Amino acid sequence: MARLRSLTEAIFATAAGPPPAARVDWVVAEVEDVLAHAGAQMRWTMAAATLVIVWIAPLFVGRLGSLASLPFRERVRALAALEASALGGPVLAVKALLCILYYEHPDAAAEVGFDAECLGLPSPAALGPAAGAEGVA
Amino acid sequence: MSAPEAELWGLEPAARKARVAELHSGIVHGRDVSGDLELEADTLVIGSGAGGAVVACHLAEAGERVVVVEEGEHVPPAEQAQLRPSESLRRLWIDAGLAFALPLGDTPAINVMMGRAVGGSSVLTGGVCFRIPGRVLREWSGEMGLHDYTEARLDAAHLDVERAVHVEEVPESMRSRSTTRFVDGARRLGVEVHPIRRNTVDCRGCGRCNFGCPEQAKLSVDQTYLPRALAAGAQVLSDCRVESLVVRGARVDGCWGHLLRGPERPPGGVFRVRARRTVVSGGAYGSPVLLGRSGIGRRSGQVGRNMTVHPAFRVMARFRDPIRGWQGALQSAYSEAYEADNVTLTGLFVPPGVLAATMPGVGREHVARARDIPHLAIFGGMVHDQGGGHVFEVFGRRAMTYRMAPRDKAAVPVLMRRMAEIFFAAGAEEVFLPVLGLGGVDADRMRTLDLERVRGRDLESGSQHPLGTCRMGVDPKASVVGPDGAAWDVKDLFVVDGSILPTSLGVNPQLSIMTVATHLAWKLRERRPRG
Ligand SMILES: Cc1cc2nc3c(=O)[nH]c(=O)nc-3n(C[C@H](O)[C@H](O)[C@H](O)COP(=O)(O)OP(=O)(O)OC[C@H]3O[C@@H](n4cnc5c(N)ncnc54)[C@H](O)[C@@H]3O)c2cc1C
Ligand code: SF4
């Protein structure tokens, strides 16, 4: 949970910082639910990929320890460096799943100009009172 | 059978939806059944997808007592319309759409997508319909000795399916701008592109076909054949996973399985269906596992082997002006211009998250790239592959591997280059090839890329067309079923679905599977079950 959270915050960070906390919570919960429906092979692959990223990425910015322990901007830099390297596969895999869910959040979809009416994207209200809350920018 | 049942699509939309809902209300949800269940049938059909629904319909309409058991949920159309794409993945797709064929050799890890619902994968299609290509039928009826499988002999079955699911050409006015751009580029280069045919009626081009059609405009088997089967008295049960066929001596006597209670809960009671004839229609992933578990097909050693998948690759292109490719029919044009290279190109679109997933970068770079989503066009290409896939069970779980033949691997750079050239001819500023980590490529860089050297594991590939894992043939040593779909090893067992197609097709397979299923159902109808 904490690992996925730190990855979500870094991947979708803007100049203002990580996305709103409520949105990150929502994405993390959705990822866990999708994985509960996926096969054991995929659950294992995702767990392994996340583990690799969390411990290997810091090495790419000359740091030891877990990704979550890095200052926020360093975290983004470390992930970007790992993604661009020959070892980038795990980042691409986890990012793919996170992206599918992240851009289903109506605010995230709106931010990238996606406005298809019939893809069933929920209204912010349907996601609960916290969903539209400000993040930790 | 009354005419409205055979041609439900001819009704006014409201009347059609009401009639389908009325018939769907007859579907028994296994999760609501308390205790165990015992049923009897003339014909038991396992799996309610493109193959199973067609067989069930024809046999029920011929007066047989038909029972259809389906592992997946019954999600009524109105409920499907409310699902977000990822919710649809969770409820209607096998392994939430995240099943992969483990790559062997120089092969990409292919994401194999399949349905698990009342209506099977048919519910998830883009609606694209192709007849079995003549060149494929010539191979089947010629080299492979399947003499019944010629264009002339299958014509009646082809026509019957096309009428039943209302195959129509997508008008140019319904094309998305994504497809229009590609078609413009192709025309400039003299590459022929044709309109696609789809099984739709009153389609309004909202582009969410793969996640369930909100208008019930896509005439998947849950809108056509299954309602007809229900109207003719068939019993259709959802949430019923068949664990094994019941083999008594030299014949199959039905099946047993578990009533499922959803992903978070253990299975409930046991169900048992006794049948004079059993038709396995679990699809190319489900059928071989079921046969294998039941000890059938060991003699030939072919069960689960020979899987073809039509490995597919997407190329995206960024244009200066907005494309908003989600507006318009999901799939509306295709090109066979590269058939000699074993490549077919078809239009498509995918949700924004899938587009964004291909965008390089993290943080600000990623977010900036994701803002280009409305400017992206996309087209796909699939390889008419030779096979090399294997479906099996390990520690009680299904798995698959795929080894790409060198000929098929060689087709991938051709496919990427041709699609990129077409997009550049249409004015694209950069393209995104399905090469992991490559990022955007402009026309100059494209010319310098050595795509032949890209390793299989660096390619991003998907498949929606697994086929051939219980292939049909004339030699019991080299096939699982004969030309009539009958298993070689035991009596009263038939396989009718995509798993019996003896080769890949090079085109989307639903119409082909339904045609073969019609052809076989007509034969079964003449050959009433014993007993
Ligand atoms: C996303 C997507 C898009 C597609 N788009 C197109 C398209 O546009 N055009 C086209 O021609 N084709 C398309 N296809 C392919 C087409 O849908 C399939 O080839 C076709 O539906 C396969 O038919 P089938 O009967 O072999 O299997 P399916 O339709 O997959 O049906 C098999 C059913 O059997 C059930 N089953 C399996 N095992 C068991 C068991 N043990 N017990 C009970 N039930 C079981 C499964 O749950 C499933 O519902 C698409 C497929 C997908 C996934
Ligand atoms: S484009 Fe929309 S209305 Fe048409 S078939 Fe697909 S989902 Fe249904």
Side-chain angles (χ1 to χ4, degrees), chain A residues 118, chain B residues 198 200 203-209 212-215 217-218 328-330:
Chain A
C118 73
Chain B
R198 294 166 77 230
T200 51
C203 166
R204 66 180 185 90
C206 69
R208 66 159 278 162
C209 318
C213 172
E215 305 294 324
K218 184 178 71 183
L330 188 72

Side-chain angles (χ1 to χ4, degrees), chain A residues 30 33 95 104 115 118, chain B residues 84 86 90 208 324 359:
Chain A
E30 286 286 299
D33 192 51
K95 193 170 107 179
E104 275 189 7
D115 59 1
C118 73
Chain B
R84 280 181 282 129
S86 77
R90 280 169 258 191
R208 66 159 278 162
R324 300 160 64 82
M359 297 287 156

